[in-house]
Amino acid sequence: DILERHRRDPLQLLQILIELQARDGWLAPATLGALADALGMPRARVESTASFYSFLHTRPAGEYRILFSDNITDRMLGNQALMQALCDKLWLQPGKVSEDGLVSVATTSCTGMCDQGPALLANGRTVTRLTPERIDEIAHLIRRRVPVGDWPPEWFHVEDNIRCRDVLLDHGLAPGQALAAALERGATSILGEIERSALRGRGGAGFGSDIKWRSCRDAWGDAHYVICNADEGEPGTFKDRVLLASYFDLVVDGMCIAGMAIGANKGFIYLRGEYRYLLDRLETRLAQRREQGLLGRNILGRGFTFDIEIHLGAGAYICGEESALIESLEGKPGKPRIRPPFPVTNGYRGQPTTVNNVETLALAALIAVRGGEWFRAIGTPASTGTKLLSVSGDVARPGIYEFPFGVSVAEVLEAAGARDTQAVTSAGAAGHCLAADEFGRRIAFEDVATGGSIMVFDASRDMFEVARNFAHFFAHESCGFCTPCRVGTAVNARLLDKLAADHGSPYDLDEMAKMHRLMQGASHCGLGNTATIAIDDMLVKFRPAFERRLHSPDYEPAFDLDAALSQARRMTGRDDPGAHLGDNRGALAEE
Ligand code: SF4
């Protein structure tokens, strides 16, 4: 059934694997072999995809698979103690499967619930606002083997937490109204309005949407494609979750308008695996729109055909990078392509493809109704319109804030009820970290550029631990394709662990700085190039938090070298002072 539903199409490989795992609990070798035969693909190709994604298990992972969200904001809310408590109650170690094969408990990167954490995924379903009492109940339900689908429904409730609305979140348009306005204007006029609006991509890079759409429209191909990048994986970002949950028609209108503008009849929404809970709702709404003439053949009787398919991700941050996303959409491991060629000419199936952020598409729909000049009057000359910010951490009111570009960081902090703030990360783990004397700076591409993640740290927080959390995040999420990033992110995490274990010296900080320079210049894609930005800022602006961890003025290994020599001492029958390091280094040198 699963294969037939996916037309035995190798491009659907990732979707098929996700569904096979949902059916069986894991992807057994026999399953992968049979799948390779059925799709007529080399088994190695199937295995490489199955082993790339964090949410796919090629070994038994338990009837209940519990993944605690491990963003720094989850840590600040006590996720580690909660995870340990669950493990204690279930008699297992974090990262392991219980001996009876019933349950595994581990961590995963940010699940996009920073405004209502700590959170976890139970067999892929999101449980928010964890407390010690809820952990007790979860352990009880697992021990009684109650299916996750029968757990209390209120546990799975995800709030929008919209705190501040502007033109986007208060748009007041009916479903399809923006699309009707765009069809009335026509493709050329829409491209003109997008150009006049000076709309820039909201994922963080800020590329001009009109240039992207025009380049794609002008590229030769058998077919053109629109992809909505709903893989927001940046730690601390959850704005697209809210747009998909409560503003979906505007996003779909935006996708249809993009399709009309570039000459595409097909679009994809690449939905991050952590937002699996939204899938059925979104599929239902797409089906309703088809019945209402707002999607599919001959939309609104205007002769325009455009339809949308939703693909799920499976826990890979790198798939937020557009070429990695396209690889994933084609059923492959999400590794960034070598560019050029760019997706606008050689994207999905090698055809011209525009990849846009969820927020960008929603704004494009607004522009189709209200016009480019209207939009351009909001924000700053170089950063037009409004920006959705996901604010979390040490604030009284975590949630979604919509502000015109140009708002200062201090104004955002004030609105969110932040007190005694020492630091703000302005673009998740991959952007700059601002200290208190920079809070007068403005959110805008020309000043503080952001994809929308604003994490706030008050004076009680140890910025060293923030840096260590970010370093582990990148070490886990590096796709491993290029050496500077694969090795650099791992070394970075190990050096910070070494400082945490009281084995650090100034040498380690110097090594880290050297490694960062190398990674920023030589990594293949944005992940490696940006993985050190926030940590570099913290090293400079919060230096004492790192220097407090330095144990020795001289180089010291990360492990106890003297203890490691004990076997050699036993073999040689020596245990005199000269056979020891530490205080006896001098004696050893004399020998
Ligand atoms: Fe992969 Fe990192 Fe290289 Fe990007 S920079 S291709 S994520 S290894």
Side-chain angles (χ1 to χ4, degrees), residues 201-223:
R202 288 333 198 223
F207 194 76
S209 301
D210 65 309
I211 301 171
K212 191 181 262 193
W213 286 12
R214 276 187 204 283
S215 309
C216 189
R217 185 199 59 174
D218 294 343
W220 182 89
D222 297 333

mmCIF file of all heavy atoms in Angstrom, residues 201-223:
data_model
loop_
_atom_site.group_PDB
_atom_site.id
_atom_site.type_symbol
_atom_site.label_atom_id
_atom_site.label_comp_id
_atom_site.label_asym_id
_atom_site.label_seq_id
_atom_site.Cartn_x
_atom_site.Cartn_y
_atom_site.Cartn_z
ATOM 1 N N GLY A 201 13.966 37.641 1.093
ATOM 2 C CA GLY A 201 13.673 36.346 1.712
ATOM 3 C C GLY A 201 13.774 36.411 3.226
ATOM 4 O O GLY A 201 14.710 36.986 3.775
ATOM 5 N N ARG A 202 12.788 35.808 3.909
ATOM 6 C CA ARG A 202 12.721 35.886 5.371
ATOM 7 C C ARG A 202 13.445 34.741 6.074
ATOM 8 O O ARG A 202 13.394 34.645 7.294
ATOM 9 C CB ARG A 202 11.269 35.897 5.833
ATOM 10 C CG ARG A 202 10.443 37.184 5.570
ATOM 11 C CD ARG A 202 11.231 38.429 5.484
ATOM 12 N NE ARG A 202 10.398 39.625 5.659
ATOM 13 C CZ ARG A 202 10.491 40.725 4.936
ATOM 14 N NH1 ARG A 202 11.366 40.799 3.954
ATOM 15 N NH2 ARG A 202 9.747 41.784 5.194
ATOM 16 N N GLY A 203 14.086 33.849 5.329
ATOM 17 C CA GLY A 203 14.808 32.757 5.981
ATOM 18 C C GLY A 203 16.064 33.225 6.683
ATOM 19 O O GLY A 203 16.609 32.527 7.538
ATOM 20 N N GLY A 204 16.550 34.415 6.322
ATOM 21 C CA GLY A 204 17.744 34.946 6.977
ATOM 22 C C GLY A 204 18.731 35.554 5.994
ATOM 23 O O GLY A 204 19.371 36.554 6.289
ATOM 24 N N ALA A 205 18.853 34.958 4.797
ATOM 25 C CA ALA A 205 19.857 35.446 3.841
ATOM 26 C C ALA A 205 19.424 36.754 3.197
ATOM 27 O O ALA A 205 20.250 37.565 2.785
ATOM 28 C CB ALA A 205 20.111 34.389 2.773
ATOM 29 N N GLY A 206 18.120 36.970 3.061
ATOM 30 C CA GLY A 206 17.627 38.255 2.557
ATOM 31 C C GLY A 206 17.810 38.455 1.068
ATOM 32 O O GLY A 206 17.934 39.587 0.593
ATOM 33 N N PHE A 207 17.788 37.376 0.300
ATOM 34 C CA PHE A 207 17.937 37.506 -1.152
ATOM 35 C C PHE A 207 16.664 38.117 -1.748
ATOM 36 O O PHE A 207 15.557 37.824 -1.297
ATOM 37 C CB PHE A 207 18.193 36.114 -1.749
ATOM 38 C CG PHE A 207 18.693 36.147 -3.155
ATOM 39 C CD1 PHE A 207 20.010 36.487 -3.419
ATOM 40 C CD2 PHE A 207 17.853 35.871 -4.224
ATOM 41 C CE1 PHE A 207 20.480 36.539 -4.722
ATOM 42 C CE2 PHE A 207 18.306 35.914 -5.525
ATOM 43 C CZ PHE A 207 19.620 36.250 -5.774
ATOM 44 N N GLY A 208 16.816 38.964 -2.748
ATOM 45 C CA GLY A 208 15.670 39.643 -3.352
ATOM 46 C C GLY A 208 14.710 38.651 -4.011
ATOM 47 O O GLY A 208 15.099 37.890 -4.887
ATOM 48 N N SER A 209 13.438 38.664 -3.571
ATOM 49 C CA SER A 209 12.473 37.682 -4.092
ATOM 50 C C SER A 209 12.202 37.891 -5.569
ATOM 51 O O SER A 209 12.000 36.926 -6.326
ATOM 52 C CB SER A 209 11.159 37.784 -3.314
ATOM 53 O OG SER A 209 11.405 37.539 -1.951
ATOM 54 N N ASP A 210 12.181 39.148 -6.027
ATOM 55 C CA ASP A 210 11.887 39.385 -7.445
ATOM 56 C C ASP A 210 12.995 38.815 -8.327
ATOM 57 O O ASP A 210 12.731 38.236 -9.381
ATOM 58 C CB ASP A 210 11.689 40.887 -7.709
ATOM 59 C CG ASP A 210 12.958 41.680 -7.475
ATOM 60 O OD1 ASP A 210 13.554 41.518 -6.390
ATOM 61 O OD2 ASP A 210 13.373 42.454 -8.360
ATOM 62 N N ILE A 211 14.244 38.941 -7.860
ATOM 63 C CA ILE A 211 15.362 38.413 -8.674
ATOM 64 C C ILE A 211 15.252 36.893 -8.762
ATOM 65 O O ILE A 211 15.421 36.289 -9.819
ATOM 66 C CB ILE A 211 16.723 38.816 -8.050
ATOM 67 C CG1 ILE A 211 16.831 40.337 -7.975
ATOM 68 C CG2 ILE A 211 17.885 38.225 -8.832
ATOM 69 C CD1 ILE A 211 18.027 40.837 -7.195
ATOM 70 N N LYS A 212 14.938 36.280 -7.623
ATOM 71 C CA LYS A 212 14.820 34.820 -7.598
ATOM 72 C C LYS A 212 13.694 34.366 -8.526
ATOM 73 O O LYS A 212 13.872 33.466 -9.343
ATOM 74 C CB LYS A 212 14.556 34.364 -6.161
ATOM 75 C CG LYS A 212 14.680 32.873 -5.953
ATOM 76 C CD LYS A 212 14.391 32.473 -4.513
ATOM 77 C CE LYS A 212 15.634 32.290 -3.697
ATOM 78 N NZ LYS A 212 15.417 31.636 -2.417
ATOM 79 N N TRP A 213 12.552 35.008 -8.426
ATOM 80 C CA TRP A 213 11.411 34.585 -9.245
ATOM 81 C C TRP A 213 11.664 34.846 -10.737
ATOM 82 O O TRP A 213 11.348 34.016 -11.573
ATOM 83 C CB TRP A 213 10.140 35.326 -8.791
ATOM 84 C CG TRP A 213 9.578 34.815 -7.485
ATOM 85 C CD1 TRP A 213 10.196 33.970 -6.602
ATOM 86 C CD2 TRP A 213 8.295 35.097 -6.926
ATOM 87 N NE1 TRP A 213 9.379 33.725 -5.522
ATOM 88 C CE2 TRP A 213 8.201 34.402 -5.693
ATOM 89 C CE3 TRP A 213 7.219 35.875 -7.323
ATOM 90 C CZ2 TRP A 213 7.073 34.464 -4.875
ATOM 91 C CZ3 TRP A 213 6.085 35.937 -6.514
ATOM 92 C CH2 TRP A 213 6.015 35.237 -5.308
ATOM 93 N N ARG A 214 12.242 35.994 -11.051
ATOM 94 C CA ARG A 214 12.490 36.301 -12.470
ATOM 95 C C ARG A 214 13.517 35.326 -13.060
ATOM 96 O O ARG A 214 13.351 34.844 -14.184
ATOM 97 C CB ARG A 214 13.026 37.725 -12.627
ATOM 98 C CG ARG A 214 11.943 38.785 -12.674
ATOM 99 C CD ARG A 214 12.547 40.149 -13.011
ATOM 100 N NE ARG A 214 11.691 41.225 -12.536
ATOM 101 C CZ ARG A 214 10.570 41.625 -13.134
ATOM 102 N NH1 ARG A 214 10.177 41.019 -14.233
ATOM 103 N NH2 ARG A 214 9.858 42.610 -12.629
ATOM 104 N N SER A 215 14.584 35.049 -12.290
ATOM 105 C CA SER A 215 15.611 34.127 -12.799
ATOM 106 C C SER A 215 15.007 32.759 -13.053
ATOM 107 O O SER A 215 15.339 32.089 -14.035
ATOM 108 C CB SER A 215 16.756 33.965 -11.780
ATOM 109 O OG SER A 215 17.220 35.212 -11.376
ATOM 110 N N CYS A 216 14.139 32.342 -12.159
ATOM 111 C CA CYS A 216 13.513 31.026 -12.302
ATOM 112 C C CYS A 216 12.566 31.020 -13.514
ATOM 113 O O CYS A 216 12.591 30.094 -14.324
ATOM 114 C CB CYS A 216 12.760 30.689 -11.009
ATOM 115 S SG CYS A 216 12.157 29.011 -10.956
ATOM 116 N N ARG A 217 11.769 32.058 -13.629
ATOM 117 C CA ARG A 217 10.819 32.135 -14.745
ATOM 118 C C ARG A 217 11.552 32.120 -16.086
ATOM 119 O O ARG A 217 11.141 31.468 -17.045
ATOM 120 C CB ARG A 217 9.987 33.417 -14.645
ATOM 121 C CG ARG A 217 8.905 33.517 -15.696
ATOM 122 C CD ARG A 217 8.420 34.927 -15.881
ATOM 123 N NE ARG A 217 9.497 35.839 -16.276
ATOM 124 C CZ ARG A 217 9.330 37.103 -16.610
ATOM 125 N NH1 ARG A 217 8.130 37.630 -16.551
ATOM 126 N NH2 ARG A 217 10.343 37.866 -16.957
ATOM 127 N N ASP A 218 12.712 32.817 -16.141
ATOM 128 C CA ASP A 218 13.438 32.936 -17.404
ATOM 129 C C ASP A 218 14.277 31.706 -17.730
ATOM 130 O O ASP A 218 14.824 31.609 -18.842
ATOM 131 C CB ASP A 218 14.358 34.172 -17.372
ATOM 132 C CG ASP A 218 13.531 35.461 -17.297
ATOM 133 O OD1 ASP A 218 12.321 35.393 -17.599
ATOM 134 O OD2 ASP A 218 14.102 36.508 -16.929
ATOM 135 N N ALA A 219 14.447 30.785 -16.744
ATOM 136 C CA ALA A 219 15.298 29.607 -16.994
ATOM 137 C C ALA A 219 14.545 28.593 -17.837
ATOM 138 O O ALA A 219 13.342 28.393 -17.667
ATOM 139 C CB ALA A 219 15.715 28.980 -15.663
ATOM 140 N N TRP A 220 15.274 27.934 -18.724
ATOM 141 C CA TRP A 220 14.645 26.937 -19.589
ATOM 142 C C TRP A 220 14.442 25.646 -18.812
ATOM 143 O O TRP A 220 15.292 25.230 -18.040
ATOM 144 C CB TRP A 220 15.539 26.670 -20.802
ATOM 145 C CG TRP A 220 14.896 25.680 -21.731
ATOM 146 C CD1 TRP A 220 14.054 25.960 -22.752
ATOM 147 C CD2 TRP A 220 15.034 24.261 -21.681
ATOM 148 N NE1 TRP A 220 13.646 24.788 -23.351
ATOM 149 C CE2 TRP A 220 14.228 23.734 -22.717
ATOM 150 C CE3 TRP A 220 15.737 23.380 -20.860
ATOM 151 C CZ2 TRP A 220 14.125 22.362 -22.948
ATOM 152 C CZ3 TRP A 220 15.631 22.020 -21.086
ATOM 153 C CH2 TRP A 220 14.829 21.520 -22.138
ATOM 154 N N GLY A 221 13.320 24.961 -19.042
ATOM 155 C CA GLY A 221 13.097 23.662 -18.401
ATOM 156 C C GLY A 221 11.803 23.041 -18.871
ATOM 157 O O GLY A 221 10.925 23.715 -19.411
ATOM 158 N N ASP A 222 11.680 21.706 -18.666
ATOM 159 C CA ASP A 222 10.435 21.001 -19.010
ATOM 160 C C ASP A 222 9.320 21.410 -18.066
ATOM 161 O O ASP A 222 8.148 21.405 -18.425
ATOM 162 C CB ASP A 222 10.631 19.483 -18.871
ATOM 163 C CG ASP A 222 11.674 18.978 -19.837
ATOM 164 O OD1 ASP A 222 11.850 19.625 -20.877
ATOM 165 O OD2 ASP A 222 12.318 17.956 -19.529
ATOM 166 N N ALA A 223 9.708 21.701 -16.815
ATOM 167 C CA ALA A 223 8.722 22.088 -15.812
ATOM 168 C C ALA A 223 9.411 23.015 -14.824
ATOM 169 O O ALA A 223 10.634 22.981 -14.677
ATOM 170 C CB ALA A 223 8.197 20.853 -15.090
#
